Amino acid sequence: MVSKILSKRKRSTVRIHAAGDFFSRKYIRDWIRIVSACPDDDFYVYTRSWTDPKMLPVLVLLARLPNVQLWFSYDKSMDPPPRIKGIKVCYLSMDDSDVPSRKVDLVFRDNTDTVRKKMGRYNSQVCPYEIGLPIANLTCESCRLCFK
């Protein structure tokens, strides 16, 4: 993995897991080694593994690396994650009535039939791609909200 990332000619942004999640402390430590070996590249990841008390401390170690943006994610079926400095929180909303119970850093919407820039009584930011408006040339790479 390290050689593949380092083979790029320019700085890379790597999303850890497009699908799936961390499944063990060893696996998180493996990612710590990968990220540490690629200090000129950026990494970001969404995880629900914070719910496992054994994995939480190792996730915090990963999040402390300067080139990582780690997000705790949750939805209405779960309690909100702990607040830990340097770790952002995102909420997965099923519809406009499904709003986070507290302030979160970002809301992803499953249903984008309506236009929503903010959600909930705390006016949490909706993912710009999921606001519900066609925005010319908007991609995750051009937005970069999740990476930085």
Side-chain angles (χ1 to χ4, degrees), residues 14-17 20-22 43-51 56 59 62-63 68-74 81-82 84 86-92 104-108 124-128 143-148:
V14 178
R15 178 174 176 175
I16 302 172
H17 306 138
D21 208 338
F22 297 106
F43 295 80
Y44 72 109
V45 62
Y46 302 96
T47 183
R48 292 185 178 202
S49 294
W50 58 267
T51 59
L56 181 60
L59 287 170
L62 176 62
V68 171
Q69 180 57 67
L70 190 136
W71 294 78
F72 287 159
S73 70
Y74 78 110
I84 298 175
I87 298 177
K88 293 185 177 183
V89 174
C90 66
Y91 183 80
L92 297 128
V104 296
D105 299 292
L106 195 59
V107 176
F108 290 101
S124 296
Q125 166 79 46
V126 171
C127 166
C143 174
R144 302 190 63 77
L145 181 63
C146 297
F147 317 158
K148 297 293 179 187

Side-chain angles (χ1 to χ4, degrees), residues 7 19 21 24 34 40 48 63 74 83 85 102 104 120-121 124 129 140 146:
S7 71
D21 208 338
S24 71
I34 292 165
D40 295 328
R48 292 185 178 202
Y74 78 110
R83 292 203 182 272
K85 185 178 179 177
R102 69 177 206 197
V104 296
R121 68 179 188 196
S124 296
Y129 190 76
C140 292
C146 297

Side-chain angles (χ1 to χ4, degrees), residues 1-19:
M1 180 66 76
V2 170
S3 63
K4 180 73 172 169
I5 294 168
L6 293 177
S7 71
K8 304 288 185 194
R9 293 175 193 243
K10 62 177 184 162
R11 184 178 191 104
S12 295
T13 300
V14 178
R15 178 174 176 175
I16 302 172
H17 306 138

Side-chain angles (χ1 to χ4, degrees), residues 112-126:
T112 59
D113 292 340
T114 60
V115 176
R116 299 289 299 265
K117 292 183 179 181
K118 304 281 183 174
M119 285 190 80
R121 68 179 188 196
Y122 301 102
N123 288 319
S124 296
Q125 166 79 46
V126 171

